Amino acid sequence: MSFQATPTLLHLAVQSLLTDEALAVSGLQDLPMELFPLLFKEAFTQKRFMVLKAMVQVWPFPCLPLGGLMKMKASYLENLQIILDGINILLEQKVHPRNHKLRVLDLRAIHKDFWNVWAGDEAAAGSLEVKHKKKAQDRGERIVAKQSLKVFIDMSLKPRALDACMSYLLLWVEGRTGLLGCKKLKISTIAFRKIVKVLEMLELDDIEEVEVWCTWKLSTLASFAPYMGQMRNLRKFLLSDVCIPVPISLEEKEKLMDQFTSQFHNLEYLHELSLDSTSFFEGQLDRLLRCLKVPLETLSITDSQLLESDLNSLTQCPGIRQLKHLDLSGVTLTNISPKSLRVLLETVAATLKTLNLENCRIMDSQLSALLPALSSCSQLTTFNYVKNPISVALLKRLLCHTARLNHLSLEMYSTPWEIYGGPVAFHHKRLEQLREELRRTVEPLKPTRTVLIRIISSSPFG
């Protein structure tokens, strides 16, 4: 037996109104604003295109959060075309209807609560009120006075062709300056001409997050740099897998690097920087660090090669003095002096919350020298030391030091190397014995809080 919710009077009224599209359109000027979201949602679902096109022109809210109602897929192409036709009429009008307030068409997959609220969902209403108060304070959501209307998207540029909806939107925007805004840009294609064409359509000042996941050459990165420098509200930047052609002189390499790093002078709001598999920074990290305009909250340098001079430059950089999250996973630190590692930790100890040293190949002698500095990281909540060789004795010492950190709630280590000596059949038993021994060692030191200590049952040598 199945049960179906009884339609409310509001839903019944909307359904009745949609049976005669011409009548619905003629009554929009006098329709209470409270009915607009539900009527629009039903017209969108039922593909009542005459009503949709007319409603856009008299939309009584500053934002039409269309992305919370649809996905940018081919099945919604006709809906999008009709809505953009309605906006075309708006843009061409010199005198707008008296109840016209639309300033933003938001095609991002957010604002889903908006549609639930006006459908009678009280729980969502409370959530939406909080979000709207936050948005009012968010500089990135400001309405630019000189622009009568703006379209916001999240853009993902991939090797394959753009989907039908995005392709149509870009064709619609072409030639219209300042109309298309983007908050999150993700690039995973090496087709740089395609990237440039899209970048030149966007208001670069609106972009807050950029991720580059593709095997660009250093010369391509240098060509991208001037566009990045115009993203003055950029908060998060991730760069992965940039490579250097073998036949390149040191002079040419440094020239290309400076073209890229110099643009960081323009990024006054950058607080999260991630560099993954970017070998060209080896011995040259200072070129980037000295261009940082403001202190970072998150720094991630992963699966890359760094020299001791790079770590020293990092320690001396004012931009890391307020660092909350540091990820050096996959950076081989075996040949780095314990002093350089210790000074780095001491520099960020007052603010650091998460520390990821997975697969850094740190040796016991280095870790032993780090223990006092690690103990001073008073705000630390998460420590990942997986895939580093460690002895049972040093692991016990380490846990005694981390027991002093009142905010630490998660610690992760590989199985000490001694466990793997002898017959394989005894490994599991030895590991369980070690876990129990460590529990008895640590428990008296942390009587008032719960800490999850994971001993990963895999080789510490990766």
Side-chain angles (χ1 to χ4, degrees), residues 392-408:
V392 171
L394 190 55
L395 180 56
K396 289 181 179 179
R397 282 184 58 202
L398 173 58
L399 292 177
C400 288
H401 277 77
T402 58
R404 305 169 189 171
L405 303 176
N406 292 328
H407 297 284
L408 189 60

Side-chain angles (χ1 to χ4, degrees), residues 6-158:
T6 303
T8 64
L9 290 176
L10 184 60
H11 281 79
L12 291 173
V14 166
Q15 294 292 345
S16 176
L17 195 57
L18 286 175
T19 58
D20 187 337
E21 288 194 71
L23 179 62
V25 169
S26 66
L28 288 178
Q29 291 286 357
D30 301 315
L31 192 70
M33 64 179 290
E34 292 81 7
L35 288 180
F36 266 79
L38 183 56
L39 181 61
F40 187 94
K41 185 176 181 180
E42 290 297 323
F44 185 90
T45 302
Q46 298 179 29
K47 295 185 179 293
R48 305 288 186 175
F49 294 143
M50 184 189 300
V51 176
L52 278 181
K53 186 174 180 178
M55 290 191 75
V56 170
Q57 300 169 54
V58 292
W59 188 251
F61 302 96
C63 176
L64 174 53
L66 191 60
L69 199 59
M70 62 170 271
K71 297 179 180 179
M72 296 291 279
K73 292 185 177 180
S75 56
Y76 292 104
L77 177 59
E78 198 172 3
N79 297 59
L80 180 63
Q81 289 172 333
I82 293 298
I83 290 167
L84 293 180
D85 284 348
I87 289 180
N88 274 336
I89 295 173
L90 267 182
L91 294 174
E92 292 167 2
Q93 287 177 343
K94 293 183 179 180
V95 179
H96 293 128
R98 60 180 175 82
N99 56 344
H100 162 72
K101 293 183 180 179
L102 184 61
R103 291 294 178 270
V104 173
L105 174 63
D106 200 332
L107 296 175
R108 297 174 295 165
I110 57 177
H111 303 304
K112 293 181 181 180
D113 282 347
F114 176 89
W115 303 104
N116 295 331
V117 167
W118 295 102
D121 186 337
E122 295 182 4
S127 171
L128 186 66
E129 184 178 357
V130 173
K131 289 180 181 178
H132 277 178
K133 288 179 180 178
K134 181 180 183 299
K135 290 293 184 183
Q137 300 169 353
D138 186 350
R139 184 176 41 77
E141 293 288 346
R142 66 194 184 285
I143 304 299
V144 183
K146 66 179 180 179
Q147 179 66 53
S148 61
L149 189 140
K150 201 155 193 175
V151 180
F152 278 108
I153 57 170
D154 285 335
M155 175 69 73
S156 182
L157 299 176
K158 302 176 181 179

Side-chain angles (χ1 to χ4, degrees), residues 170-438:
L170 294 181
L171 283 173
W172 180 79
V173 168
E174 198 165 8
R176 305 184 192 211
T177 305
L179 184 61
L180 189 60
C182 173
K183 297 295 183 181
K184 297 179 181 180
L185 173 63
K186 186 174 181 179
I187 302 173
S188 55
T189 177
I190 60 174
F192 193 65
R193 288 185 181 179
K194 171 183 175 182
I195 295 168
V196 168
K197 184 176 181 180
V198 172
L199 288 175
E200 291 180 347
M201 292 183 185
L202 298 175
E203 276 287 279
L204 299 178
D205 193 49
D206 290 319
I207 297 178
E208 295 179 356
E209 297 183 16
V210 171
E211 296 182 8
V212 179
W213 295 94
C214 52
T215 51
W216 276 1
K217 295 179 180 179
L218 186 54
S219 56
T220 306
L221 182 62
S223 298
F224 173 76
Y227 296 98
M228 184 186 75
Q230 297 176 57
M231 302 174 188
R232 298 183 183 274
N233 288 303
L234 192 66
R235 290 157 166 77
K236 174 183 175 181
F237 180 67
L238 181 150
L239 180 65
S240 180
D241 288 325
V242 173
C243 62
I244 304 175
V246 176
I248 184 173
S249 67
L250 177 60
E251 182 182 0
E252 180 66 13
K253 175 186 174 184
E254 290 179 348
K255 178 183 176 182
L256 293 173
M257 287 189 65
D258 287 343
Q259 288 177 21
F260 169 62
T261 59
S262 62
Q263 297 299 329
F264 282 82
H265 282 299
N266 299 322
L267 308 181
E268 297 184 1
Y269 299 98
L270 185 70
H271 66 244
E272 184 172 343
L273 176 62
S274 299
L275 305 172
D276 177 70
S277 301
T278 49
S279 59
F280 66 91
F281 275 117
E282 182 179 2
Q284 305 284 339
L285 191 60
D286 64 308
R287 290 179 178 272
L288 171 60
L289 296 175
R290 66 190 179 207
C291 295
L292 294 178
K293 193 76 171 178
V294 292
L296 296 173
E297 290 185 7
T298 299
L299 176 62
S300 175
I301 304 176
T302 57
D303 294 321
S304 304
Q305 297 298 318
L306 294 180
L307 301 181
E308 188 154 343
S309 60
D310 294 319
L311 254 68
N312 293 336
S313 297
L314 189 57
T315 299
Q316 296 164 13
C317 175
I320 71 161
R321 300 300 166 85
Q322 299 176 30
L323 205 63
K324 294 181 180 179
H325 311 283
L326 177 60
D327 185 354
L328 296 177
S329 58
V331 176
T332 301
L333 300 176
T334 308
N335 296 321
I336 303 296
S337 73
K339 180 181 178 182
S340 295
L341 295 173
R342 175 178 57 79
V343 174
L344 174 60
L345 273 188
E346 290 173 347
T347 302
V348 299
T351 56
L352 196 64
K353 292 186 176 182
T354 65
L355 176 60
N356 189 350
L357 298 177
E358 180 175 342
N359 197 26
C360 289
R361 309 287 175 157
I362 298 173
M363 309 307 291
D364 272 10
S365 58
Q366 294 171 297
L367 178 58
S368 182
L370 285 179
L371 293 182
L374 187 60
S375 299
S376 65
C377 296
S378 57
Q379 302 303 312
L380 199 65
T381 63
T382 303
F383 178 43
N384 183 356
Y385 196 71
V386 171
K387 292 187 179 179
N388 290 288
I390 189 170
S391 64
V392 171
L394 190 55
L395 180 56
K396 289 181 179 179
R397 282 184 58 202
L398 173 58
L399 292 177
C400 288
H401 277 77
T402 58
R404 305 169 189 171
L405 303 176
N406 292 328
H407 297 284
L408 189 60
S409 58
L410 176 61
E411 303 173 57
M412 292 176 282
Y413 308 98
S414 284
T415 305
W417 53 265
E418 296 105 320
I419 299 298
Y420 292 97
V424 175
F426 292 104
H427 291 177
H428 182 72
K429 183 178 180 180
R430 287 178 179 177
L431 181 57
E432 290 305 313
Q433 289 173 342
L434 173 63
R435 285 173 173 157
E436 179 59 26
E437 188 177 343
L438 293 176

